[in-house]
Amino acid sequence: DARRRALEIAHTISDRAAPLGVQATLASAQLARSGGEAAAFERLQPEVARLFTTQDAAEGVQSFVERRAAQFQGA
């Protein structure tokens, strides 16, 4: 049952979330495991700032304004 639920969550994320955001989240989690929470936290602000400059960020805002599903490109 846990595996089925995990797959449902993974599919929801892959269908709705921006790929760059998912990649950054996974990288942050891996850094927290290997380098500690402080290292992950230190990297968080510059990474979020970078993500806000992407085409996907603009698409997320535009899709929200237009009330439609976002079409993320990973760029």
Side-chain angles (χ1 to χ4, degrees), residues 56-73:
D56 278 356
E59 168 60 14
V61 171
Q62 191 65 34
S63 67
F64 178 79
V65 169
E66 295 175 0
R67 299 184 186 272
R68 63 172 171 80
Q71 300 295 316
F72 297 118
Q73 303 299 314

Side-chain angles (χ1 to χ4, degrees), residues 16-33:
R16 298 181 187 164
L20 296 176
V22 173
Q23 291 169 0
T25 300
L26 291 173
S28 181
Q30 291 169 348
L31 180 57
R33 286 190 71 201

Side-chain angles (χ1 to χ4, degrees), residues 1-71:
D1 189 50
R3 178 176 158 74
R4 179 191 57 77
R5 182 66 181 132
L7 287 172
E8 287 175 3
I9 293 168
H11 284 289
T12 298
I13 291 169
S14 70
D15 289 345
R16 298 181 187 164
L20 296 176
V22 173
Q23 291 169 0
T25 300
L26 291 173
S28 181
Q30 291 169 348
L31 180 57
R33 286 190 71 201
S34 66
E37 289 181 19
F41 186 75
E42 182 178 324
R43 180 71 186 120
L44 183 62
Q45 184 178 6
E47 185 63 11
V48 169
R50 183 189 72 79
L51 289 172
F52 274 120
T53 68
T54 65
Q55 293 173 8
D56 278 356
E59 168 60 14
V61 171
Q62 191 65 34
S63 67
F64 178 79
V65 169
E66 295 175 0
R67 299 184 186 272
R68 63 172 171 80
Q71 300 295 316

